[in-house]
Amino acid sequence: MRITRVLGATALLFALAVPPAVADSAPSPSASGDDAAPTTAGTSFRTAAEVEQGQQATASASTGDYLYWSFPADAGQRPTVRATVKLPDAHAAQSWQIDVYDGLRRRQACQYGAQTRTAAQGAASVDLSCTLRTVRSWSEPWANDPLPGTYYVRLTALNVATADLGQPISASVRVGSKDVGGSAAVDGSLAEPLVPGIAVTSKSGEDDGDAAKSAVLAGLEPEDGWASGWWSDRWVWTAVGGVLAALAGVGGYALTRGSGRPGRVPPGA
């Protein structure tokens, strides 16, 4: 009976401590008439159009243009960028590519996804995607790990025939992310996220709020603000593991110690 109670308490504690299954943390897609979603794209890093995760940004441009968007990504997120390019009715075969850069303008490798695709002659559209590695809260200076801050998306055509240059196209970009959680947590955090101009804001914010605000080149941030870098569900699992180990020790002792009664004394002893 005692063993059953111990095992039952262990199972109940484990069930209460297990967090919900990891789900896509991106906000719900924006409605087609959402005025907050940008309808133009920048032509450089400095003029990149800011887009929130979950929004669908659109832009009209010409074949051969470089299109730029920016979005915020925080520690523990694994961003995925998806782009669709609608091509003109008549065109030769052409390749399209999306590249993602972090706040230091370092090109980030795609963990998986069709980053480059070739549209066959006369194809109506081409779809691209790029899933980055999980954003870490801290990294060595020499490493190229994704870090919290602003990320830039660049969309462009490669190897375009001369006759196709300048033809009108329309593009749409959507960014979402999956919350990986404590499995990717590391010790340490950045003093500030990699957002262009945020260091200037931190130093001059107390003196002149308006000037400091204008110094930030990318104003978007996650809905809940930037993570502090020290908390993750890894702490929960560590505590739960300690409790389960203690309960397992109690259960093992109860199984091996016996009934505790003295053995029967043989007659005539």
Side-chain angles (χ1 to χ4, degrees):
M1 185 68 179
R2 185 180 303 170
I3 297 174
T4 304
R5 291 179 180 177
V6 171
L7 296 179
T10 303
L12 178 60
L13 180 61
F14 183 78
L16 293 176
V18 173
V22 174
D24 193 341
S25 63
S28 57
S30 301
S32 57
D34 188 357
D35 296 335
T39 56
T40 58
T43 56
S44 66
F45 287 101
R46 292 183 61 87
T47 61
E50 295 182 341
V51 56
E52 292 278 8
Q53 292 192 25
Q55 288 182 336
Q56 180 167 318
T58 57
S60 298
S62 301
T63 304
D65 290 345
Y66 285 85
L67 307 179
Y68 288 82
W69 292 269
S70 66
F71 67 92
D74 205 1
Q77 294 183 338
R78 183 182 296 163
T80 296
V81 181
R82 293 183 174 86
T84 299
V85 183
K86 295 183 178 180
L87 304 173
D89 296 335
H91 64 83
Q94 53 188 245
S95 298
W96 285 82
Q97 178 172 305
I98 53 173
D99 297 294
V100 183
Y101 300 82
D102 65 9
L104 298 179
R105 299 186 185 180
R106 302 176 303 179
R107 184 176 179 273
Q108 293 294 322
C110 297
Q111 191 175 28
Y112 53 85
Q115 181 182 9
T116 304
R117 274 190 170 176
T118 300
Q121 181 177 359
S125 63
V126 59
D127 296 324
L128 306 165
S129 67
C130 174
T131 299
L132 301 178
R133 294 170 295 165
T134 304
V135 178
R136 306 179 64 184
S137 60
W138 181 85
S139 177
E140 295 287 350
W142 46 262
N144 194 37
D145 297 321
L147 294 170
T150 300
Y151 283 76
Y152 297 92
V153 179
R154 183 177 71 182
L155 174 65
T156 188
L158 307 174
N159 304 323
V160 181
T162 304
D164 290 337
L165 290 175
Q167 289 195 26
I169 58 98
S170 61
S172 62
V173 171
R174 182 186 298 275
V175 181
S177 66
K178 181 177 181 180
D179 189 0
V180 177
S183 61
V186 297
D187 294 330
S189 61
L190 299 178
E192 297 290 349
L194 300 181
V195 177
I198 196 170
V200 178
T201 303
S202 300
K203 293 180 180 180
S204 61
E206 298 180 357
D207 300 333
D208 189 349
D210 295 336
K213 185 176 181 180
S214 63
V216 179
L217 302 181
L220 294 182
E221 64 178 35
E223 292 183 355
D224 299 330
W226 298 105
S228 59
W230 67 272
W231 169 257
S232 71
D233 56 10
R234 184 176 60 173
W235 292 92
V236 177
W237 285 107
T238 301
V240 171
V243 173
L244 292 179
L247 292 177
V250 173
Y253 175 74
L255 287 172
T256 58
R257 75 187 184 93
S259 62
R261 298 177 181 177
R264 177 180 297 180
V265 179

